[in-house]
Amino acid sequence: MFRLRRYRYYVFFAAIIVFLLYRVAQNSEQWEAVSASLPRTAPASESKWSHARKSTANNRPDTSFKGISSDDDDLPQRILDKPAGGNPPVKIPDLPKSNPSQENNSKDDGEDDDDFELPPKSDPAVQEAGVLAYDHDEAAKATTAPVINVPDKNVGQGAKDADKKPIAAVVHWKKLREHFPVPESEIIPLPTGKPKKIPTIQYAFEKESPGDREMREARQQQVKAEMERGWAGYWKYAKGHDELSPVTKKFRDPFCGWAATLVDSLDTLWIMGMEEEFKEALTEVEKIDFTVSKRAEIPVFETTIRYLGGLIAAYDVSGGKTGGYDILLKKAVELAEILMGVFDTPNRMPVLYYNWKPDFASRPKRAKSASVAELGSLAMEFTRLAQITKDNKYYDAVARITDAFYEWQERGTSLPGIFPEQIDTSGCNSTAQSELEAAQNAAEVEVYHNTDSGSNQSADESANDDEKPDLESDLKPKSRHIEPDNGKSSIPKRSEKSSALNLNVVKQKNSKTGKVELIAGATKLPECVSQGLTSGGWGAEQYSMGGSQDSTYEYFPKQWLLLGGLEPKYKELHLKVSEAVKKWLLFRPMVPDDRNILFSAKVITNGEPETDARAQYEVTHLTCFIGGMFGLGGKIFEIPADVEIGKKLTEGCVWAYESTPTGIMPEGAHVLPCPDTKKCHWNQTLYEQALDPSFDDREEQIEAYYDRKAKEKAAQKAREERAREEKARKEKERKEKEREEEEREEWASKQDIASSKSETEQLRKSILDEKPSKGPEAGRDNVRARKRDLLSAEEYLADNIADATFPVGKGKAKFSATNFEDLEDSDPAPGFKKSTTGQVPLQEDEDEDEDRRAPDPFRPLSHEEFVSMKIENEKLPKGFVEVNSRAYILRPEAIESVWYMYRITGDKKWQDKGWKMFEAIVRHTATEIGSSAIDNVLTTNTTQINEMESFWTAETLKYFYLLYSEPNLISLDNWVLNTEAHPFKRPKAPFGV
């Protein structure tokens, strides 16, 4: 029985094993056909499938945003190695690492995009690899990657554990139907006619001496050497990407990944005579696909000035139509077609961060807000493209923006002539819209309450307009459907009440209830109450020539030049801007050498600048363009005073360069304005007071500190005195208790003595009566009693000595505290001074003086101490009140104005000033493969921050190079440069062609 029972368990487990083997065999049969068709290869130590899985596992998406860098794979090019012999194996491409920026953007867009995107099947790299991106229809064309169809029923638990996200195809932009198209008849055309005669801008340079020429060309070659090193570094380490990381020798893609530095630098290559590099760059330009981007949103402003401006300028400088580089114009048009979608809004104001993917681009959209610079700095690029292509739609797009600025300037802003930094571009008056909605609601309530309650009234009676509605009837309006009233707008004025909506309210009998109801009829609340451009954002308005505002003002005179003076609006816009700047923004700073220079401030107002304007006397690198703007405007509009203002503004930025230890101007700082711009001399006292806004209160703070400290000290003494008194009181109480106890003991002792005496007397009497005792015990008792009487008397005297009286002379004096005080207050003897014992105030004064002289880390700083510490800690150059941004990011604005001043005035001092700037910049920014931004210009021990913006090669080095070139290279009388230093050819014929 025991064996049978044991074997029963064996049989049970054997049955389970057989069943499992059967199921495994059945599942494996379905793979036989597939496995038989696969080529056999030599066994490896590690299967290629496991290699593929590891590769995929290593490419898990990183949820932290790091931007696009050279650590990311560009294409899925890692293909498994081909075996030595036999049929080729199935090749499984390694998937590229996920792009965190794409992942974040896709999440923001609400799309279920992958963590990576495969390139389109037309990509040369993919074709070369022989791998198709899941294109079953074209599978036969890829001999190295046969397609394997796996039966669906084989998807088991292993598949569930795999990555569930499908591989998404690359999303491309495509041209869509506009929601708010401009009728052909309403498109604003380019001005026609022959360009007007415009005053000469450039100085009439004389022939230079051999020495001057040699020095100029030597400087120019050094500038070119910087360009060559930077370009070589970009080409080797960042080709095809936006920017080079010049310290780590990697790349960044802060824009759209369309090779920003390459496109931005094309015209620089041509101008510097780097023709071979220019032609090599064109091969990369041809590869750029503007229909797909690494960013979910295209930054329209940056894309326009860098990419579109760069392509158009390269086309112009390389010869245009006759140059033979048509790819530049082709790519410019391709990009422009994409950017035209940003203008598809009800008021044609652009959406400046454009979600280009079709799912989003296909939806109706409305502009919301923009900075002045973003909105107004699209004009030159689209205008020049319209001139070249003769397609007016590009000009129409930006002309409407200009018209909006012009109308706003005519309507007036808080600072007439210039615009607040933030603009509401929606075209909708939200305040009026809220009032209209409130009026509509009030009207509907009125309809609801003013209904006719006559349930038994006939339809004829209910239709009688003279009948008064029964306000007690419980009726509701039949419909809230609103239709247009014969195409006429029913928008009320803001001063009108709800009745001004002119609702077509009619009385109608309800067929079910028989009651008469008032029905809201033909009126429609508009989508918005239209308006032009107006101030946007929250809080006070800010006006300046600095960041977020600069390039729009720069474009007004330049656009006038580009259009050959045929559009007068740009001249009017510029003249009003320059007058407003001179009235509200320009100021002369107080500097140590009394140099006569100017800067442009920032003014903040709540709408009443005459009473509430607050000025910030800033010195920002971005604002340094203004010297060139005033110089250019002064020449073309024949205002010599503006040219002089341009000189002083440029001198101001040169002074900012010369004032720092590195010789480089900081990004942002503040200075002290002169009380009088005509008479301004250095005043150290005023300067130090500007460094210390609380200088008036410093002494009071110190006195208040010592007063507080003295009070605290007095309070401490009082607490200590109270503590001593309390201690003395307790000590006195203790002694009192001890004395009372001793008195009680003494009294008890006296009682004992008296009792003992009585007993002794009685005993003596009894002894006398009997026999007299002569033993030793009797003598000892008598001695003990006498000693006790003597001790008690001594103790008593000791405890009461304070009240004891002693003979002094003939009388007696009693010593006490009162008598001692009387002695202190008594008059001194003749010939002696009164004792100063106990005169505490004198000692306290000495202690207070000693306290003030002693170091005290908690004492408020004096004015002198604060100023000295501020200058030392912040390393402030003399004349600067504050440096709020110490970096230098290779900006061009200062050398831009220096170049304009040289070309306008012909004064060689500008070349010398520019050379000092160039040497200082190179000294602190040069790296092995390029140039890097630095974090602090106030110390020579600065740190390079591993960024080389595209404007370093596009603008800064270009301006330095042109400063030492022949004056006819990019002459201002033939060319006009956009805000990214891209030169556009000025028109000599109608339409600018």
Side-chain angles (χ1 to χ4, degrees):
M1 286 296 292
F2 178 75
R3 287 184 178 179
L4 180 62
R5 194 172 297 170
R6 183 175 60 184
Y7 289 140
R8 205 184 316 169
Y9 290 109
Y10 291 157
V11 171
F12 174 75
F13 285 114
I16 293 176
I17 293 171
V18 170
F19 175 75
L20 292 175
L21 290 173
Y22 169 75
R23 293 301 301 268
V24 170
Q26 262 206 329
N27 289 337
S28 63
E29 287 176 1
Q30 297 170 352
W31 284 92
E32 287 180 359
V34 175
S35 60
S37 64
L38 294 176
R40 301 294 179 183
T41 61
S45 60
E46 182 180 14
S47 71
K48 299 185 184 299
W49 285 105
S50 65
H51 173 77
R53 285 195 299 271
K54 287 181 181 180
S55 176
T56 304
N58 292 335
N59 290 331
R60 291 174 181 171
D62 186 0
T63 56
S64 63
F65 179 79
K66 300 177 182 177
I68 310 300
S69 69
S70 55
D71 295 329
D72 302 323
D73 293 336
D74 296 327
L75 295 171
Q77 294 177 343
R78 294 172 296 167
I79 310 300
L80 294 177
D81 295 334
K82 185 176 180 179
N87 295 327
V90 179
K91 293 198 173 184
I92 304 167
D94 286 343
L95 298 178
K97 293 179 181 178
S98 62
N99 184 337
S101 64
Q102 284 181 341
E103 180 185 4
N104 293 343
N105 290 337
S106 65
K107 289 180 181 179
D108 294 340
D109 297 340
E111 287 188 318
D112 190 17
D113 288 347
D114 252 318
D115 295 331
F116 50 83
E117 294 181 343
L118 292 176
K121 61 185 180 182
S122 60
D123 194 303
V126 180
Q127 292 177 351
E128 181 181 346
V131 179
L132 296 184
Y134 289 83
D135 192 348
H136 296 282
D137 296 335
E138 299 290 335
K141 298 178 182 180
T143 59
T144 61
V147 178
I148 302 173
N149 291 320
V150 181
D152 293 339
K153 61 183 178 181
N154 290 337
V155 178
Q157 187 63 37
K160 292 180 182 179
D161 293 337
D163 190 0
K164 298 181 178 63
K165 291 186 177 181
I167 299 177
V170 176
V171 178
H172 288 265
W173 171 90
K174 61 182 180 181
K175 192 172 181 63
L176 301 167
R177 179 184 61 85
E178 285 194 335
H179 294 279
F180 309 99
V182 178
E184 192 71 27
S185 60
E186 297 180 12
I187 290 179
I188 302 173
L190 281 163
T192 58
K194 185 178 180 180
K196 293 184 177 180
K197 184 175 177 60
I198 296 174
T200 301
I201 300 172
Q202 285 209 163
Y203 179 78
F205 288 91
E206 299 177 356
K207 187 177 180 179
E208 61 186 339
S209 67
D212 289 344
R213 180 176 182 176
E214 183 181 357
M215 182 174 65
R216 176 182 60 77
E217 290 179 346
R219 290 174 172 178
Q220 188 183 50
Q221 287 306 309
Q222 290 189 48
V223 175
K224 184 177 180 180
E226 289 299 312
M227 176 65 187
E228 289 173 337
R229 188 178 76 256
W231 178 258
Y234 170 79
W235 192 257
K236 182 176 181 179
Y237 297 103
K239 179 173 64 175
H241 294 278
D242 285 341
E243 293 177 2
L244 170 68
S245 297
V247 177
T248 58
K249 299 181 180 180
K250 295 184 179 181
F251 61 78
R252 302 192 314 138
D253 282 317
F255 299 108
C256 295
W258 296 333
T261 296
L262 188 146
V263 176
D264 221 2
S265 306
L266 288 170
D267 53 5
T268 305
L269 295 173
W270 185 272
I271 290 169
M272 292 189 180
M274 301 169 66
E275 190 170 344
E276 289 302 316
E277 290 85 348
F278 178 83
K279 291 178 180 178
E280 284 181 340
L282 291 185
T283 63
E284 291 297 316
V285 170
E286 193 168 5
K287 296 177 185 178
I288 298 174
D289 185 0
F290 289 121
T291 66
V292 64
S293 169
K294 294 181 178 180
R295 287 184 57 159
E297 293 181 333
I298 297 174
V300 176
F301 166 71
E302 297 289 352
T303 302
T304 300
I305 65 173
R306 297 183 194 232
Y307 291 99
L308 186 59
L311 291 167
I312 294 171
Y315 179 78
D316 267 352
V317 299
S318 62
K321 188 182 295 186
T322 61
Y325 301 107
D326 295 338
I327 184 63
L328 294 165
L329 181 59
K330 177 184 176 181
K331 284 295 182 179
V333 171
E334 179 185 321
L335 177 58
E337 285 300 309
I338 296 172
L339 295 177
M340 282 297 292
V342 308
F343 300 100
D344 184 21
T345 62
N347 63 346
R348 303 299 294 182
M349 293 297 106
V351 175
L352 292 167
Y353 290 87
Y354 180 48
N355 197 323
W356 54 272
K357 294 183 179 180
D359 286 347
F360 294 89
S362 60
R363 302 173 186 175
K365 49 192 171 293
R366 180 187 295 279
K368 294 181 180 179
S369 62
S371 69
V372 174
E374 289 177 320
L375 183 61
S377 301
L378 315 176
M380 291 184 66
E381 295 77 11
F382 280 91
T383 295
R384 183 57 188 153
L385 185 62
Q387 291 174 338
I388 295 172
T389 63
K390 299 184 180 180
D391 192 338
N392 283 322
K393 70 179 181 182
Y394 300 126
Y395 179 72
D396 172 87
V398 293
R400 293 177 183 274
I401 298 175
T402 300
D403 289 346
F405 273 117
Y406 184 82
E407 184 274 333
W408 193 11
Q409 195 182 62
E410 291 292 307
R411 180 167 23 106
T413 59
S414 297
L415 266 59
I418 52 180
F419 310 101
E421 181 175 315
Q422 294 299 319
I423 305 175
D424 180 357
T425 59
S426 67
C428 292
N429 189 323
S430 57
T431 303
Q433 179 68 17
S434 299
E435 293 183 3
L436 276 178
E437 290 175 356
Q440 175 72 8
N441 293 335
E444 290 180 354
V445 170
E446 184 179 351
V447 169
Y448 175 81
H449 288 292
N450 290 279
T451 55
D452 201 318
S453 62
S455 59
N456 297 324
Q457 283 182 314
S458 64
D460 293 336
E461 290 174 337
S462 65
N464 188 350
D465 291 338
D466 295 334
E467 293 288 340
K468 296 181 179 180
D470 185 359
L471 298 180
E472 297 178 358
S473 62
D474 185 16
L475 302 178
K476 297 180 180 180
K478 290 293 289 184
S479 173
R480 295 184 63 176
H481 180 66
I482 302 174
E483 298 292 344
D485 185 9
N486 299 326
K488 297 180 180 179
S489 174
S490 58
I491 302 174
K493 295 181 180 179
R494 294 179 61 178
S495 61
E496 294 177 332
K497 297 181 180 180
S498 62
S499 59
L501 283 169
N502 296 324
L503 293 173
N504 184 14
V505 181
V506 297
K507 294 181 181 181
Q508 181 175 329
K509 186 175 181 179
N510 190 318
S511 58
K512 294 182 179 180
T513 63
K515 296 182 179 180
V516 176
E517 300 172 346
L518 295 179
I519 307 301
T523 188
K524 183 178 182 180
L525 196 64
E527 184 179 354
C528 76
V529 178
S530 63
Q531 67 176 8
L533 299 179
T534 188
S535 178
W538 301 94
E541 299 173 346
Q542 297 187 15
Y543 295 81
S544 79
M545 293 288 111
S548 299
Q549 306 187 51
D550 45 4
S551 48
T552 289
Y553 301 118
E554 174 190 353
Y555 273 24
F556 289 155
K558 291 182 175 181
Q559 184 77 343
W560 187 81
L561 283 173
L562 188 59
L563 290 170
L566 297 175
E567 176 51 78
K569 288 181 181 177
Y570 292 104
K571 180 178 180 178
E572 294 182 39
L573 284 164
H574 171 77
L575 293 179
K576 290 182 179 179
V577 166
S578 63
E579 289 303 313
V581 170
K582 286 183 279 189
K583 178 180 179 180
W584 291 101
L585 304 183
L586 295 187
F587 70 94
R588 180 180 176 182
M590 187 177 69
V591 294
D593 58 359
D594 294 342
R595 198 180 306 189
N596 190 3
I597 57 178
L598 293 175
F599 287 110
S600 178
K602 174 184 287 185
V603 171
I604 303 172
T605 176
N606 291 316
E608 300 292 336
E610 297 291 348
T611 57
D612 68 4
R614 306 184 304 280
Q616 294 180 358
Y617 298 101
E618 60 182 15
V619 173
T620 66
H621 207 292
L622 280 168
T623 313
C624 284
F625 85 96
I626 194 175
M629 184 193 80
F630 265 89
L632 180 66
K635 290 296 289 186
I636 62 178
F637 299 128
E638 301 180 288
I639 310 174
D642 282 6
V643 176
E644 294 302 315
I645 289 174
K647 291 179 185 178
K648 293 178 181 180
L649 287 165
T650 306
E651 284 279 11
C653 293
V654 171
W655 169 83
Y657 267 79
E658 295 173 351
S659 299
T660 67
T662 57
I664 305 174
M665 176 182 182
E667 278 288 296
H670 291 88
V671 292
L672 177 64
C674 294
D676 187 348
T677 57
K678 295 181 180 180
K679 296 180 180 180
C680 184
H681 300 287
W682 177 254
N683 187 318
Q684 184 69 24
T685 301
L686 290 179
Y687 173 64
E688 291 181 356
Q689 290 175 356
L691 290 174
D692 181 12
S694 302
F695 73 92
D696 278 336
D697 302 326
R698 291 289 172 189
E699 293 302 322
E700 293 181 7
Q701 292 173 4
I702 293 173
E703 290 302 322
Y705 171 79
Y706 281 119
D707 288 346
R708 185 169 62 253
K709 191 174 181 181
K711 290 178 181 178
E712 291 175 357
K713 188 174 182 180
Q716 179 65 22
K717 286 184 177 180
R719 286 192 295 271
E720 293 174 356
E721 183 65 26
R722 286 195 297 270
R724 285 194 299 270
E725 291 176 355
E726 181 66 16
K727 184 178 180 181
R729 184 185 64 79
K730 290 181 179 180
E731 181 67 17
K732 185 176 180 181
E733 289 179 354
R734 184 184 65 78
K735 288 183 177 181
E736 288 289 341
K737 288 181 180 179
E738 289 179 354
R739 188 169 60 193
E740 290 176 358
E741 183 66 25
E742 290 173 354
E743 288 178 352
R744 282 194 297 271
E745 291 178 358
E746 183 182 359
W747 181 83
S749 177
K750 288 180 179 180
Q751 292 296 323
D752 291 341
I753 292 173
S755 175
S756 178
K757 284 182 178 181
S758 175
E759 292 175 358
T760 301
E761 184 65 25
Q762 292 177 0
L763 180 61
R764 187 179 63 81
K765 288 181 178 181
S766 64
I767 291 173
L768 290 175
D769 291 339
E770 297 178 3
K771 286 183 180 181
S773 177
K774 297 182 181 178
E777 293 297 331
R780 281 197 295 270
D781 291 339
N782 293 334
V783 172
R784 188 181 301 114
R786 286 196 298 272
K787 285 184 178 179
R788 185 163 50 232
D789 290 341
L790 180 61
L791 180 63
S792 299
E794 291 173 353
E795 290 178 352
Y796 179 81
L797 289 175
D799 291 339
N800 295 277
I801 193 168
D803 296 326
T805 57
F806 300 93
V808 179
K810 295 181 179 180
K812 294 182 179 180
K814 188 176 181 180
F815 284 84
S816 66
T818 304
N819 297 121
F820 187 74
E821 292 173 1
D822 292 341
L823 289 174
E824 281 188 330
D825 294 336
S826 62
D827 294 331
F832 292 89
K833 295 182 179 179
K834 186 176 181 179
S835 173
T836 58
T837 303
Q839 291 186 3
V840 179
L842 178 61
Q843 183 66 32
E844 288 182 351
D845 290 342
E846 293 175 354
D847 292 343
E848 184 176 348
D849 291 340
E850 185 176 351
D851 288 345
R852 293 195 176 214
R853 288 191 298 269
D856 186 350
F858 303 104
R859 177 179 63 81
L861 297 175
S862 67
H863 170 60
E864 293 76 12
E865 292 170 335
F866 179 87
V867 169
S868 176
M869 186 175 294
K870 181 180 177 72
I871 293 174
E872 181 181 356
N873 292 343
E874 299 182 15
K875 297 180 173 22
L876 284 178
K878 201 166 187 178
F880 285 83
V881 173
E882 179 187 20
V883 179
N884 51 298
S885 180
R886 304 180 180 191
Y888 172 68
I889 61 172
L890 308 175
R891 285 202 186 277
E893 292 79 14
I895 191 60
E896 172 186 348
S897 287
V898 169
W899 176 70
Y900 273 98
M901 288 301 106
Y902 172 67
R903 288 292 184 91
I904 289 172
T905 66
D907 193 338
K908 285 184 171 54
K909 75 175 183 180
W910 297 108
Q911 289 182 315
D912 295 334
K913 293 176 185 294
W915 189 245
K916 290 181 181 178
M917 295 164 62
F918 176 79
E919 287 185 315
I921 292 171
V922 171
R923 185 182 308 117
H924 295 286
T925 66
T927 70
E928 180 185 349
I929 62 169
S931 298
S932 173
I934 56 177
D935 68 340
N936 190 354
V937 300
L938 301 184
T939 174
T940 54
N941 188 25
T942 188
T943 302
Q944 295 177 338
I945 56 180
N946 199 30
E947 293 179 4
M948 190 177 88
E949 292 240 23
S950 68
F951 52 62
W952 169 246
T953 51
E955 296 187 73
T956 311
L957 289 178
K958 184 186 296 173
Y959 282 123
F960 275 119
Y961 185 85
L962 291 174
L963 182 61
Y964 305 108
S965 69
E966 293 281 356
N968 60 354
L969 181 62
I970 311 297
S971 169
L972 289 171
D973 293 314
N974 298 320
W975 301 85
V976 56
L977 284 70
N978 84 335
T979 192
E980 195 74 6
H982 293 310
F984 298 159
K985 195 173 182 180
R986 283 175 52 182
K988 302 299 180 183
F991 296 102
V993 179

